[in-house]
């Protein structure tokens, strides 16, 4: 059974159809890139999968639970790192993670261990006592990641996970995602195409709200003469201006 399964997700905003009958799946042990130009429908799709935005049509199943009919159970199995993830800036990092652990039903003892693990994985152990508002953008992004993984969910959705990180932090983040991807189902939205080739076994390309490719990064890159993923992305999603 796929840990994440999406069928016919659709969403319109007024007269504009942002997402058109999207279907996708991710199995445990699989890290999949979700690619597309700005405005293609990536974030809208991810928000519907996570239950933060209601679809006009379709459903998503997270670890077997429907986000439509069994939302609480589905969300308990999901770690969602949203783009620009909101944080409680006045809380210390440890207090923020403790709050998230409790909302996911962890006991005090389990929460303590979970916070230590998530903080080590996200490389934020040295700032656990500091208020989030005092942290740099890169540290805040890592705190948001720790919050997404503190309950050790089987499914992760990561929207621009390396946004705001310096080169060393990006390398560490990629290593962490590769390690987590051995046991979890991970769907990553990113504009950093080098990350796709480094971490992902599949690449799903969305454009104008519809899936236009679902294949390996190598096969996708091979659709253009130079064999470069950037060239394939550009060729498949370039739209000439109307005359």
């Amino acid at each position: 059974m796929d840990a994440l399964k999406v069928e016919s997700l659709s969403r319109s905003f007024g007269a504009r159809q942002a997402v058109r009958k999207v279907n996708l799946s991710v199995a445990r042990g699989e890290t999949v890139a979700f690619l597309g130009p700005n405005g293609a429908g990536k974030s809208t799709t991810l928000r519907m999968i996570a239950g933060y935005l209601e679809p006009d049509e379709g459903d998503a199943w997270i670890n077997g639970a429907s986000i439509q009919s069994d939302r609480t159970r589905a969300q308990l199995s999901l770690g969602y790192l949203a783009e620009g993830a909101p944080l409680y800036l006045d809380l210390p990092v440890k207090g923020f993670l403790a709050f998230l652990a409790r909302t996911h039903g962890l006991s005090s003892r389990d929460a303590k261990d979970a916070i230590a693990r998530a903080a080590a994985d996200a490389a934020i152990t040295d700032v656990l006592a500091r208020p989030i508002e005092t942290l740099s953008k890169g540290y805040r992004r890592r705190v948001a990641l720790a919050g997404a993984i503190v309950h050790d969910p089987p499914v992760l959705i990561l929207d621009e996970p390396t946004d705001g990180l310096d080169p060393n932090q990006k390398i560490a983040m990629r290593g962490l995602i590769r390690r987590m991807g051995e046991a979890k189902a991970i769907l990553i939205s990113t504009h950093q195409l080098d990350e796709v080739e480094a971490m992902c076994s599949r690449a799903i390309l969305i454009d104008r709200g519809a899936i236009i490719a679902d294949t390996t990064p190598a096969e996708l890159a091979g659709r253009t003469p130079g064999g470069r993923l950037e060239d394939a992305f550009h060729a498949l999603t370039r739209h000439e201006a109307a005359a």
Side-chain angles (χ1 to χ4, degrees):
M1 182 182 68
D2 292 316
L4 173 62
K5 184 177 181 181
V6 174
E7 289 188 355
S8 299
L9 275 186
S10 301
R11 173 73 192 212
S12 295
F13 297 97
R16 183 177 72 88
Q17 189 167 11
V19 176
R20 310 166 186 264
K21 293 188 178 297
V22 162
N23 299 285
L24 61 87
S25 63
V26 185
R28 283 207 187 209
E30 191 173 32
T31 300
V32 177
F34 192 46
L35 309 176
N38 289 335
K42 300 188 304 297
S43 290
T44 298
T45 300
L46 298 183
R47 289 169 186 156
M48 287 191 288
I49 294 172
Y52 292 104
L53 183 65
E54 295 295 331
D56 297 329
E57 178 186 351
D59 202 350
W61 290 264
I62 301 167
N63 209 31
S66 163
I67 200 68
Q68 290 285 76
S69 62
D70 197 2
R71 183 162 302 183
T72 297
R73 189 161 70 93
Q75 290 180 329
L76 287 173
S77 294
L78 175 67
Y80 178 38
L81 177 64
E83 185 177 13
L87 301 167
Y88 294 110
L89 299 181
D90 57 328
L91 287 179
V93 173
K94 188 174 182 179
F96 174 69
L97 296 179
F99 165 74
L100 292 178
R102 290 195 301 271
T103 62
H104 285 93
L106 274 67
S107 68
S108 296
R109 175 178 294 182
D110 289 343
K112 182 178 180 181
D113 293 339
I115 291 167
R117 172 189 48 77
D121 284 343
I124 58 169
T125 302
D126 57 331
V127 298
L128 281 174
R130 288 177 55 181
I132 296 173
E133 64 187 354
T134 68
L135 302 179
S136 67
K137 182 179 179 181
Y139 262 110
R140 291 186 188 190
R141 194 62 177 154
R142 287 148 63 187
V143 169
L145 173 67
I149 64 175
V150 70
H151 57 300
D152 195 23
V155 179
L156 288 176
I157 292 177
L158 307 177
D159 197 351
E160 298 294 345
T162 61
D163 182 44
L165 303 186
D166 66 33
N168 288 333
Q169 292 168 343
K170 287 183 178 181
I171 291 170
M173 178 71 81
R174 292 174 188 175
L176 172 61
I177 291 172
R178 282 194 293 269
R179 292 196 303 274
M180 293 191 300
E182 295 175 1
K184 300 181 185 296
I186 304 179
L187 184 65
I188 299 177
S189 175
T190 180
H191 289 298
Q192 306 298 319
L193 297 183
D194 57 329
E195 295 180 352
V196 175
E197 295 175 306
M199 297 186 297
C200 302
S201 57
R202 279 170 51 215
I204 298 173
L205 185 58
I206 185 172
D207 188 37
R208 295 182 174 182
I211 301 295
I212 61 172
D214 183 350
T215 185
T216 66
E219 195 281 331
L220 186 62
R223 295 187 183 187
T224 54
R228 298 174 67 243
L229 193 56
E230 292 177 358
D231 295 338
F233 180 94
H234 180 64
L236 291 169
T237 61
R238 182 183 64 231
H239 305 292
E240 302 298 339

